[in-house]
Amino acid sequence: MNHRPFESWLLEELDLTPGQKHELHLHLRECRDCAALAESGVALRSARVRPPAPGFAARFEGRLISHHRAERRRRLWGSLLLAAVGSGLFAWWIAPAVGAFVASPATSIAAWVQQLLHIALSARAILEVTQIMFRIVPDLAPSYLWMVLSSTLAGLGLLWSLSLWRFARGAQGV
Amino acid sequence: MANPDRDEAFWVSQARQGSDEAFTELVGLYQAPVYNLCYRMLGDPGSAEDAAQETFLRAYRYLHRYDPSRAFATWLLSIAAHYCIDRLRRARYALVPLDAEDSEGSVRELADPESPDPEAEVMKREQQELVQALLMNLEGKDRAAIVMRYWHSISEVEIAEALGLTVSAVKSRLHRARRVLASHWEEPSLRGSGERRPHESPAI
């Protein structure tokens, strides 16, 4: 049996003219499929909202208190663990230096000064190398190639920002 | 007279500032739709209670992500629907019936003997049970879409936002679900004997 256009009238829940209503009425007398569609639609529209058992909000309050308690406990243990690990790592890092300083303070101070000098000289060398690179590298390739490279990097950055934005937007529904 | 929309906006804003009392007010306002969605999705009062409570707890934890330009009820129902869909998926893989998990009760729709027409009440209750049995034939997202559309009158656009679908996908899911429900409507196992024939529907 041809269900068109009756099936779409029922599914789309359109406002029908009196003529269309009459046509639909005649079709439903003959077509069991469309009649089932109409009757199940009526059942859906007349279905009731089922409420929870009384005291739902009070039970939620209890659950929220347990949640807060668990959260506080988790935060406390997390802080304690972090402090313990941090202290352990610091002690492990500082122990040899403290030992050496106690054994021979003058040698230790000389070694620290030497270390600082080494860091300062390394930073200066890196700065000089960077300045030289900035002078040499632009001449290694034509300017349009640099433009293509910088546009590609900018495009990738934009793509990354867009995906982050979409991800953050998707998280709205939790 | 209190404006329910203003109440909602007020409680949401207070809850976002960290007021647990305000959030509990919101729980009181939306417990029925959220519980109903969970019950229609899971088909068991105990599981529905647990899912509804979990929905509100998730909403509480992620309240900072709520976009006030959207309806708060739709946002809550979206969380509930996603949670129930996940739960149905897990239950399918674990082969554990949902009603075996817990058994907290809820208000059962019993016929009221004081009602002026207890027979009509009984018929209504039977029809509610029939509708619930029919819903269990639907796939998770289709079920969520049908409940949002027919129980809570949520627009197709909002359903699409809530379920992460396009509007046309929501339409086609609703149509498919309606066809599935209609195909099961006639099953003798669902309907008792001596019932009204389809053409005798009050809609017609």
Side-chain angles (χ1 to χ4, degrees):
Chain A
M1 183 175 285
N2 187 11
H3 305 298
R4 287 173 193 277
F6 310 108
E7 192 188 43
S8 48
W9 287 355
L10 291 167
L11 289 175
E12 298 282 348
E13 297 172 332
L14 303 170
D15 286 329
L16 304 180
T17 62
Q20 286 172 328
K21 275 183 188 165
H22 181 67
E23 272 184 74
L24 179 64
H25 180 82
L26 292 178
H27 177 73
L28 292 181
R29 282 190 173 279
E30 295 166 3
C31 178
R32 289 177 68 92
D33 291 343
C34 287
L37 194 63
E39 193 160 336
S40 58
V42 171
L44 279 178
R45 275 186 291 278
S46 58
R48 293 171 181 168
V49 168
R50 186 164 169 145
F56 181 89
R59 289 193 294 282
F60 176 76
E61 269 184 293
R63 202 161 169 150
L64 196 57
I65 290 166
S66 311
H67 168 75
H68 283 319
R69 206 174 291 144
E71 193 75 11
R72 270 199 301 274
R73 206 176 302 133
R74 201 165 37 238
R75 213 171 291 152
L76 177 72
W77 280 110
S79 310
L80 285 175
L81 190 71
L82 202 68
V85 169
S87 310
L89 281 173
F90 184 71
W92 176 74
W93 177 70
I94 205 83
V98 171
F101 185 78
V102 169
S104 166
T107 320
S108 295
I109 290 168
W112 292 346
V113 169
Q114 202 178 348
Q115 193 78 17
L116 284 173
L117 272 173
H118 175 71
I119 291 168
L121 287 172
S122 304
R124 200 173 147 189
I126 289 168
L127 197 69
E128 277 175 17
V129 167
T130 314
Q131 282 171 346
I132 292 165
M133 290 290 278
F134 267 109
R135 275 202 299 271
I136 296 171
V137 169
D139 298 332
L140 293 177
S143 53
Y144 71 86
L145 202 68
W146 291 113
M147 281 173 71
V148 169
L149 192 67
S150 51
S151 305
T152 311
L153 285 174
L156 285 172
L158 189 68
L159 203 68
W160 180 63
S161 315
L162 270 175
S163 41
L164 276 182
W165 176 71
R166 277 182 66 103
F167 180 74
R169 203 164 153 254
Q172 266 286 324
V174 183
Chain B
M1 202 175 102
N3 179 348
D5 289 340
R6 193 187 293 163
D7 283 351
E8 177 196 293
F10 173 75
W11 294 125
V12 169
S13 129
Q14 292 290 304
R16 290 185 84 174
Q17 285 167 31
S19 163
D20 285 0
E21 289 78 19
F23 193 82
T24 310
E25 285 291 332
L26 289 169
V27 172
L29 273 176
Y30 292 110
Q31 54 179 336
V34 169
Y35 177 84
N36 181 63
L37 178 76
C38 296
Y39 175 70
R40 302 298 169 188
M41 291 289 290
L42 304 174
D44 163 60
S47 305
E49 163 87 15
D50 190 47
Q53 292 275 348
E54 182 59 30
T55 298
F56 282 112
L57 199 57
R58 285 181 180 204
Y60 178 84
R61 276 160 52 195
Y62 298 109
L63 199 58
H64 60 280
R65 291 191 193 172
Y66 166 63
D67 171 6
S69 65
R70 284 175 66 184
F72 189 70
T74 312
W75 185 67
L76 273 179
L77 291 177
S78 153
I79 298 173
H82 284 292
Y83 178 73
C84 292
I85 290 166
D86 280 350
R87 201 163 160 153
L88 287 170
R89 199 178 293 141
R90 279 203 307 272
R92 197 174 58 200
Y93 289 126
L95 298 172
V96 176
L98 281 166
D99 53 4
E101 289 182 7
D102 43 27
S103 58
E104 265 179 87
S106 85
V107 177
R108 200 171 148 71
E109 291 165 28
L110 292 171
D112 179 7
E114 304 291 312
S115 160
D117 191 353
E119 201 181 329
E121 273 293 307
V122 170
M123 277 182 70
K124 266 187 191 168
R125 186 164 61 82
E126 279 175 359
Q127 196 176 44
Q128 297 296 314
E129 283 168 7
L130 172 64
V131 168
Q132 186 57 38
L134 286 171
L135 280 178
M136 291 297 129
N137 293 301
L138 300 177
E139 191 249 314
K141 270 194 180 171
D142 292 1
R143 209 181 296 173
I146 282 281
V147 176
M148 286 183 179
R149 187 80 190 95
Y150 289 96
W151 269 268
H152 304 295
S153 307
I154 295 177
S155 72
E156 285 163 353
V157 175
E158 284 179 304
I159 297 173
E161 274 181 22
L163 297 179
L165 300 167
T166 60
V167 177
S168 56
V170 168
K171 271 188 186 174
S172 85
R173 274 177 184 271
L174 285 171
H175 289 185
R176 183 177 64 194
R178 286 285 311 275
R179 286 194 192 98
V180 172
L181 293 176
S183 71
H184 288 282
W185 183 253
E186 287 292 278
E187 278 177 16
S189 60
L190 285 172
R191 316 213 53 166
S193 57
E195 288 190 29
R196 241 182 7 224
R197 298 310 309 152
H199 62 270
E200 292 165 332
S201 159
I204 307 152

